[in-house]
Amino acid sequence: MEPVSAPQVVGRFAPSPTGPLHHGSLVAALGSYALARRARGRWLMRIEDIDTPRVVPGMADRMLRTLEALGFEWDGPVLWQSACNDRYAAALDQLAAAGLIYPCGCSRRELQRVASAPLAADGGLIYPGTCRKGLAPGKRARAFRVRVDDAAVEFVDAIFGPQRERLAEGSGDFVLRRADGLFAYQLAVVVDDAASGVNQVVRGADLLPSTPRQIYLQQRLGYQTPAYAHLPLVTDRDGGKLSKRDAAVSIADGRDLVREGAALLVAALRFLGQQPPADLARAANRDVLAWACASFDLDRVSTRAAPFGLSAAPAT
Ligand code: GLU
């Protein structure tokens, strides 16, 4: 009998060029890279630059140069989301043809005013379904939403374990095309991962609450659902959420990343619960990455958010 070979792992790193690479993005880059390479898989680079009002000019190139200086090597050309609008439109059409899309005339202010509108796990509003049965007279279509149903979306995260959410309670019908005409992140990420054959998504735990919505879209579009591993969040020194200002501090600032990158990479490995040998912090960046690709152990990664430490002491 022919041996059945598992499909090759395809991972990716998908930063938004809205601010420089910070410790959280370094952790996501390294975790996704090590897990893809450990499985002898491919690792793709995608610049998520569709949210054009938030894109900082020149930032994407700066990110790519930083990653290169650290020794990361991605497979194939960089994919730029801003060049992929046609395929997001086609996916939206496919969902519309299935009767799943409707126009919504609610402004954010109106939604915030609905006293019963609670907050979703990611802080967004849970849509109360105002325009589900059609736009009220005098309202014009602003955004386009996808209808969700009562079924629970379930998946097992490789780090956070079994997850379950009823989208009706978790987000309500969510936006796929925004009032400014731009395609929403939730749609773009699903379409791009499927188009690139990504079957392993490793990213920060801030995106864990988005995953049920993304799986719902994959199911409605007939795509495969990738394996998910969400990495612990990097917090500020006091354990709080990284402020915009903290997150705006680039890992590249004031550092010669070719010479000093190893210490940074080793610190990121320790943040992820790994135990690289102490002298690796003085090795070449590529040696640290090679160690990560050979030795990264998913079982050592915790779910606990923590500050990022550059000290030599292993994280406890
Ligand atoms: N572009 C997103 C970010 O920078 C990541 C998207 C993803 O990994 O799915 O937070």
Side-chain angles (χ1 to χ4, degrees):
M1 213 169 71
E2 287 287 301
V4 183
S5 58
Q8 188 186 32
V9 165
V10 183
R12 49 52 160 200
F13 179 52
S16 305
T18 52
L21 283 184
H22 50 80
H23 290 137
S25 19
L26 174 67
V27 163
L30 182 59
S32 61
Y33 183 77
L35 284 165
R37 296 288 193 229
R38 174 105 220 250
R40 299 191 189 290
R42 289 160 55 75
W43 187 68
L44 313 180
M45 182 64 62
R46 179 169 77 229
I47 298 293
E48 301 214 320
D49 59 347
I50 39 159
D51 191 351
T52 40
R54 293 185 57 228
V55 167
V56 179
M59 190 57 78
D61 287 327
R62 207 172 129 193
M63 286 177 151
L64 293 171
R65 281 199 308 272
T66 302
L67 291 163
E68 267 167 357
L70 285 169
F72 287 99
E73 287 177 5
W74 48 91
D75 292 300
V78 175
L79 183 90
W80 298 76
Q81 280 191 328
S82 53
C84 299
N85 277 322
D86 288 353
R87 67 189 192 202
Y88 310 140
L92 196 69
D93 285 349
Q94 188 185 332
L95 294 168
L100 288 168
I101 302 295
Y102 65 87
C104 172
C106 302
S107 67
R108 178 172 281 273
R109 198 175 302 157
E110 280 168 333
L111 288 175
Q112 276 160 347
R113 245 189 273 132
V114 180
S116 64
L119 285 185
D122 59 359
L125 290 167
I126 299 176
Y127 185 62
T130 320
C131 300
R132 225 176 192 227
K133 297 210 172 88
L135 290 173
K139 286 261 180 198
R140 59 177 186 86
R142 292 168 52 88
F144 288 86
R145 292 183 182 269
V146 63
R147 236 174 255 286
V148 301
D149 59 23
D150 267 344
V153 176
E154 298 188 42
F155 66 103
V156 179
D157 185 86
I159 296 165
F160 281 77
Q163 307 288 315
R164 183 173 200 274
E165 182 179 88
R166 286 184 59 233
L167 292 179
E169 291 162 0
S171 63
D173 299 339
F174 54 101
V175 170
L176 295 189
R177 189 159 201 169
R178 308 181 344 184
D180 58 8
L182 294 172
F183 293 101
Y185 156 71
Q186 306 292 357
L187 179 68
V189 75
V190 160
V191 169
D192 287 336
D193 281 341
S196 307
V198 168
N199 54 17
Q200 178 175 274
V201 172
V202 180
R203 59 188 179 186
D206 52 327
L207 293 166
L208 189 59
S210 286
T211 308
R213 273 169 278 171
Q214 294 173 12
I215 293 177
Y216 178 78
L217 291 179
Q218 288 153 6
Q219 291 169 345
R220 293 302 171 281
L221 287 163
Y223 301 160
Q224 299 277 339
T225 288
Y228 286 98
H230 286 86
L231 304 171
L233 280 186
V234 174
T235 66
D236 67 15
R237 234 176 300 152
D238 305 319
K241 191 173 181 304
L242 272 194
S243 68
K244 275 227 168 79
R245 220 179 68 203
D246 289 331
V249 175
S250 168
I251 57 168
D253 283 348
R255 275 201 191 102
D256 173 353
L257 284 180
V258 175
R259 287 185 46 227
E260 298 170 55
L264 204 56
L265 291 166
V266 164
L269 283 170
R270 291 209 172 111
F271 176 85
L272 288 169
Q274 310 300 303
Q275 297 181 329
D279 56 359
L280 212 51
R282 288 181 300 276
N285 296 350
R286 270 162 218 269
D287 294 336
V288 186
L289 291 176
W291 184 91
C293 296
S295 311
F296 197 93
D297 181 356
L298 195 56
D299 291 339
R300 288 187 177 277
V301 184
S302 118
T303 57
R304 196 159 45 91
F308 187 95
L310 257 178
S311 77
T316 49

